[in-house]
Amino acid sequence: MPGLNSIPSPLRSERIHTDLVRLLYTALPQVASVTIGVVVGAWLMAWRTGSGWDWLLAWLSIVMAVIRLGLLAAFYQSGADKDLSPAAARRWECAYGAGSLLMAAVIAGMSLRALSGADAGVQLLCLGLTMASCAGQSSTRVACRAWIPISTGSVVLVAFAAGCLLHPDTSYQIVGGLLLLYGYSHIEACRHGAQTIVALHRAQRSLARRAAHDDLTGLPNRAAFRECLSKASEHLTRHRQKYAVLALDLDGFKHVNDAYGHAMGDELLRQIAHRMRHALREGDVVARLGGDEFAVLQMPATEREAAVRLAERLIAEVSVPYCIEGRSIGINVSVGIALAPECGDGEALLRAADEASYEAKRAGKGLYRLASPSRQWPLTA
């Protein structure tokens, strides 16, 4: 299962980014309230002034509303809220940003039109839309992608401030200057909010990863492997695919601890985990169950020989001597193989593999044994 074994830092950053884009598309209350407000305001302004330019802005507000609300609906209908790739996340983010900027352009146009006239009610309406846009865009859900609220807020605030600064009335000019000052505060608030949200997501992922991984080797722990096995069992059984579990028990690890100390034993476990991880295909999972016990989930395993070849490869990799603090240390591993569905599934499969590893250990060092299936595994040519 992806995400259980070691995850490179760039990949973790991509996953945080997809989480933030999902958060972005939960901002329906903010999007709906501000968008509807802009539409109502634009049509009220057009009705009061009767200007052709204002009617154009009113129809443009309808187009903007359809785009913004349609994007939210399309996001959930496409299933992107559950399965979102990094490339798709970037596209959805840009689409959201474009819709926000279109809304900002409508509000900016309304503000410039209102401030060029003498209708104080329309001017007050546009000021309200400007401030509502900034408040909605700086909310936690939108501020997670700071460039969107910063660019949107800058457009609406600069437009209204410019109209005020160009107005002959001194009180308007003062309002314009205060709006520019507020713009700086808005930008800083969005930047700080984005940093806080990203840090929170990083901390949550770090805690989740530590809870599911072994501190010493960085491999998934027993609980994470069981969860992975349960999900794989359900998925692969539904798609009629075979899979295998390999239980690995190191031979003579207690002797290493007794002879060289636990620090040397810990380093040996780290190096063994590293070799196991690199012996697997992409998609396979190796976990440390505890002590000197490991387990591998091979999925899919199209034939019995595939699981046997993996067991032989792991035995060969682990048995190559290790050089630790100038000492050469040799160790072997006993492997038990349980095939699904012949030996059961889920936890039953892990128990069958574990029993087979004990049989291998009793037979000698560096061997593998197949768990007894309830029926013959069909071989392929």
Side-chain angles (χ1 to χ4, degrees):
M1 302 292 286
L4 279 179
N5 285 323
S6 181
I7 304 173
S9 180
L11 184 55
R12 288 199 295 270
S13 297
E14 286 182 343
R15 290 183 176 178
I16 290 173
H17 177 245
T18 58
D19 286 346
L20 295 179
V21 173
R22 288 193 187 96
L23 177 62
L24 187 66
Y25 274 85
T26 64
L28 177 61
Q30 289 81 9
V31 172
S33 59
V34 178
T35 299
I36 292 172
V38 172
V39 172
V40 171
W43 280 83
L44 178 61
M45 179 174 169
W47 176 74
R48 291 192 65 169
T49 64
S51 167
W53 286 107
D54 293 336
W55 280 112
L56 177 62
L57 287 171
W59 283 108
L60 187 58
S61 71
I62 295 292
V63 173
M64 176 272 300
V66 170
I67 291 174
R68 295 203 76 200
L69 297 176
L71 272 174
L72 289 176
F75 183 82
Y76 288 97
Q77 288 178 358
S78 68
D81 58 315
K82 299 180 179 65
D83 184 17
L84 188 62
S85 69
R90 287 189 287 272
R91 290 193 296 271
W92 282 109
E93 180 182 344
C94 290
Y96 189 101
S100 295
L101 285 171
L102 179 58
M103 179 192 70
V106 173
I107 297 175
M110 292 171 60
S111 297
L112 292 174
R113 288 284 305 155
L115 289 167
S116 65
D119 192 326
V122 172
Q123 293 172 1
L124 184 61
L125 169 66
C126 292
L127 178 60
L129 290 175
T130 296
M131 302 308 291
S133 172
C134 289
Q137 291 284 312
S138 63
S139 71
T140 300
R141 295 172 179 176
V142 183
C144 65
R145 305 309 300 153
W147 71 270
I148 296 176
I150 288 175
S151 57
T152 303
S154 297
V155 169
V156 297
L157 287 171
V158 168
F160 201 97
C164 288
L165 291 172
L166 294 173
H167 199 279
D169 192 320
T170 303
S171 60
Y172 279 79
Q173 295 172 6
I174 293 174
V175 170
L178 292 175
L179 283 176
L180 291 178
L181 184 62
Y182 173 73
Y184 172 75
S185 173
H186 172 74
I187 291 172
E188 285 301 303
C190 292
R191 288 177 56 192
H192 178 73
Q195 291 171 358
T196 301
I197 295 167
V198 170
L200 178 61
H201 275 261
R202 288 188 187 278
Q204 288 175 338
R205 281 199 168 272
S206 177
L207 288 174
R209 176 173 171 76
R210 291 186 64 181
H213 286 74
D214 171 53
D215 288 337
L216 179 64
T217 63
L219 296 179
N221 57 24
R222 182 182 290 271
F225 187 79
R226 282 176 171 169
E227 181 181 357
C228 177
L229 185 57
S230 175
K231 291 180 180 178
S233 174
E234 179 182 347
H235 173 79
L236 296 172
T237 301
R238 186 168 58 248
H239 291 83
R240 298 180 181 275
Q241 292 180 308
K242 298 181 181 296
Y243 60 102
V245 168
L246 287 71
L248 301 93
D249 197 337
L250 300 180
D251 300 321
F253 180 71
K254 184 177 183 301
H255 170 73
V256 174
N257 271 338
D258 293 342
Y260 303 108
H262 288 280
M264 189 82 77
D266 289 347
E267 178 58 26
L268 178 61
L269 287 174
R270 279 190 285 266
Q271 293 194 23
I272 289 173
H274 177 79
R275 289 190 186 181
M276 287 183 179
R277 194 160 40 215
H278 286 81
L280 302 182
R281 305 170 306 178
E282 184 177 356
D284 294 342
V285 175
V286 57
R288 184 187 178 205
L289 304 185
D292 59 354
E293 296 180 1
F294 296 81
V296 171
L297 172 60
Q298 185 187 32
M299 53 183 180
T302 55
E303 56 184 11
R304 181 178 63 186
E305 279 71 14
V308 170
R309 285 195 298 270
L310 176 57
E312 292 174 338
R313 187 162 67 249
L314 287 167
I315 291 171
E317 286 287 340
V318 171
S319 64
V320 176
Y322 301 81
C323 183
I324 303 175
E325 297 181 5
R327 296 177 182 271
S328 179
I329 299 177
I331 198 166
N332 291 301
V333 63
S334 298
V335 181
I337 306 170
L339 309 166
E342 283 74 5
C343 297
D345 58 13
E347 190 70 21
L349 197 65
L350 180 57
R351 286 197 300 268
D354 198 41
E355 291 172 3
S357 72
Y358 291 140
E359 292 180 11
K361 188 177 285 289
R362 286 192 292 267
K365 296 181 178 180
L367 301 176
Y368 68 85
R369 288 293 183 267
L370 285 159
S372 300
S374 58
R375 64 178 185 274
Q376 182 65 32
W377 176 280
L379 300 179
T380 59

